[in-house]
């Protein structure tokens, strides 16, 4: 199936980046939808800031930036956002009730041929499919942070997702300049988070138990495993609330061994969520 128009739901950390990649690399017309004008404004400001960085590095011309921005349409009304879309990419908060309700609503407003993909980090694609009357057209399309720079997209097959849907979404990801992996069974955490999140949780435990200092935990993993940044800094980038939410899903969906450590829970209780609140393991207000 040919995809011409895309709608991205959620103009937050991930949604703005996915929207930009779709318009910038894929050349798609994209509607960007959020629930309040200030969230849309914030998302558009992040897109403009990112495009300016590409331009200042000589990777985009002024005309190209203008063209990309022309293809992006911020929209508040859900029906208007999705009514002409061939592909909808949902990037709203990681909350199963909210996502189920949104999928139900989107199913009513979108054309019958439209594919609905979720950028969820851990929620069941099969369950999201069941919230609609088109489970064969629902799949996971999991980008990584920041979507503008990270190469990988995990494409996830729900229990009823059709081969045609998977093929179309793989094609779109490739047109957006991404590398893909196929997750053949819908299992919490997919591939990357099933391996990453327990590692971040253990880093939080080492810090909480006072076994090593923040900088030594991050240095150990950077130099010992060749990660580009340490696990505590990465937790700050992702948001400790998001990390906690994923440990909960892994615990409930796979095995109690994935349970969140007290250190991780404490960060969330203290609202030390990382970059988004200005403070986490690191102080981001000065950077
Ligand atoms: P975020 O909180 O930064 O952004 C979510 C946005 O969705 C907010 O602007 C919010 O106002 C908006 N929103 C809420 N309800 C909405 C609705 N009904 N319609 C449209 N917009 C709505 O969250 P995020 O970090 O961008 O995460 C979004 C999704 O991406 C989650 O499922 C998360 O698990 C996943 N994800 C996050 C990361 C990450 O590193 N943060 C990486 C990969 C995937």
């Amino acid at each position: 199936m040919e995809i011409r128009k895309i709608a991205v739901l959620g103009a937050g950390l991930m949604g703005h980046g996915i929207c930009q990649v779709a318009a910038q690399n894929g050349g798609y017309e994209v509607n960007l939808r959020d629930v309040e004008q200030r969230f849309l404004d914030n998302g558009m400001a992040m897109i403009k800031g990112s495009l300016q960085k590409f331009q200042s590095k000589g990777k985009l011309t002024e005309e190209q930036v203008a063209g990309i921005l022309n293809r992006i349409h911020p929209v508040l009304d859900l029906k208007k956002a999705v009514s002409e879309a061939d592909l909808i990419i949902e990037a709203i908060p990681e909350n199963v009730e909210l996502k189920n309700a949104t999928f139900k609503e989107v199913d009513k407003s979108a054309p019958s041929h439209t594919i609905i993909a979720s950028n969820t980090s851990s929620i069941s694609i099969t369950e999201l499919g069941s919230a609609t009357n088109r489970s064969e057209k629902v799949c996971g399309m999991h980008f990584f942070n920041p979507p503008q720079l990270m190469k990988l997209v995990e494409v996830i097959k729900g229990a009823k997702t059709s081969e045609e849907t998977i093929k179309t979404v793989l094609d779109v990801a490739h047109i957006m300049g991404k590398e893909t992996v196929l997750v053949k069974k819908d299992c919490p955490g997919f591939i990357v988070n099933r391996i990453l999140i327990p590692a971040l949780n253990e880093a939080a435990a080492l810090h909480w138990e006072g076994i090593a200092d923040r900088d030594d935990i991050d240095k150990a993993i950077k130099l010992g495993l060749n990660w580009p940044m340490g696990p505590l800094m990465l937790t700050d980038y992702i948001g400790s609330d998001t990390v906690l939410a994923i440990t909960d899903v892994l615990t409930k969906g796979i095995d109690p061994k994935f349970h969140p450590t007290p250190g991780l829970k404490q960060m969330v209780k203290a609202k030390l969520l990382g970059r988004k609140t200005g403070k986490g393991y690191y102080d981001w207000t000065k950077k």
Side-chain angles (χ1 to χ4, degrees), residues 14 92-96 99 119-124 142-145 154 187-201 234-235 237-261 264-265 268 276:
M14 294 304 291
I92 70 172
E94 190 76 346
N95 173 306
V96 70
K99 288 206 198 266
N119 184 51
T120 178
S121 302
S122 57
I123 291 170
S124 163
H142 186 222
F143 290 79
F144 290 79
N145 189 17
E154 290 178 318
C187 186
F190 316 129
I191 300 172
V192 173
N193 280 330
R194 173 106 175 236
I195 293 171
L196 172 67
I197 297 299
L200 301 188
N201 194 29
L234 183 55
T235 299
Y237 268 93
I238 296 173
S240 50
D241 53 341
T242 302
V243 176
L244 179 65
I246 303 171
T247 58
D248 279 340
V249 176
L250 295 176
T251 306
K252 286 179 193 139
I254 308 176
D255 193 292
K257 74 179 179 189
F258 292 105
H259 67 88
T261 61
L264 184 62
K265 289 189 200 163
V268 176
K276 65 176 123 179

Side-chain angles (χ1 to χ4, degrees), residues 6-286:
I6 294 180
V8 175
L9 308 182
L13 209 56
M14 294 304 291
H16 90 275
I18 296 168
C19 171
Q20 181 182 333
V21 166
Q24 181 177 341
N25 302 353
Y28 292 109
E29 290 288 327
V30 194
N31 283 344
L32 179 62
R33 195 257 169 174
D34 209 303
V35 287
E36 286 184 36
Q37 189 60 42
R38 63 193 170 113
F39 299 137
L40 279 179
D41 292 345
N42 190 39
M44 288 308 293
M46 288 193 280
I47 291 173
K48 283 177 192 155
S50 168
L51 289 172
Q52 266 155 21
K53 274 194 208 157
F54 279 103
Q55 193 183 330
S56 67
K57 286 181 186 159
K59 292 186 176 164
L60 288 174
T61 64
E62 200 178 331
E63 294 71 44
Q64 284 170 322
V65 168
I68 294 161
L69 288 171
N70 269 337
R71 289 195 286 280
I72 299 176
H73 315 285
V75 187
L76 271 179
D77 184 70
L78 178 67
K79 208 167 186 156
K80 195 170 157 209
V82 303
S83 63
E84 290 181 1
D86 305 303
L87 169 66
I88 296 164
I89 305 173
E90 168 275 310
I92 70 172
E94 190 76 346
N95 173 306
V96 70
E97 288 83 24
L98 181 66
K99 288 206 198 266
N100 274 332
T102 302
F103 269 65
K104 206 170 194 167
E105 213 181 332
V106 167
D107 187 40
K108 285 188 205 137
S109 307
S112 58
H113 74 274
T114 304
I115 291 173
I116 315 175
S118 177
N119 184 51
T120 178
S121 302
S122 57
I123 291 170
S124 163
I125 300 301
T126 303
E127 183 176 343
L128 294 177
S130 296
T132 72
N133 288 314
R134 62 177 87 196
S135 48
E136 76 288 356
K137 290 190 163 60
V138 172
C139 72
M141 190 177 189
H142 186 222
F143 290 79
F144 290 79
N145 189 17
Q148 293 95 328
L149 301 180
M150 296 296 281
K151 270 278 172 203
L152 184 67
V153 174
E154 290 178 318
V155 176
I156 302 106
K157 196 173 187 303
K160 293 187 178 163
T161 311
S162 71
E163 293 299 335
E164 197 199 341
T165 297
I166 293 295
K167 185 185 175 309
T168 304
V169 171
L170 286 170
D171 286 348
V172 170
H174 296 152
I175 292 169
M176 288 183 184
K178 299 299 175 193
E179 296 278 349
T180 55
V181 290
L182 177 62
V183 181
K184 298 191 293 178
K185 282 186 190 166
D186 176 19
C187 186
F190 316 129
I191 300 172
V192 173
N193 280 330
R194 173 106 175 236
I195 293 171
L196 172 67
I197 297 299
L200 301 188
N201 194 29
E202 280 313 311
L206 284 170
H207 185 257
W208 172 255
E209 291 162 17
I211 289 162
D213 289 339
R214 174 195 76 182
D215 290 348
D216 278 349
I217 295 169
D218 275 358
K219 184 177 173 185
I221 299 304
K222 270 171 73 176
L223 301 185
L225 294 179
N226 236 358
W227 286 25
M229 74 174 77
L232 297 176
M233 185 173 279
L234 183 55
T235 299
D236 273 4
Y237 268 93
I238 296 173
S240 50
D241 53 341
T242 302
V243 176
L244 179 65
I246 303 171
T247 58
D248 279 340
V249 176
L250 295 176
T251 306
K252 286 179 193 139
I254 308 176
D255 193 292
K257 74 179 179 189
F258 292 105
H259 67 88
T261 61
L264 184 62
K265 289 189 200 163
Q266 185 81 350
M267 294 299 282
V268 176
K269 278 187 206 143
K271 294 202 170 27
L272 293 166
L273 306 184
R275 275 205 326 169
K276 65 176 123 179
T277 53
K279 283 199 178 135
Y281 288 103
Y282 292 81
D283 184 352
W284 296 93
T285 55
K286 293 178 193 137

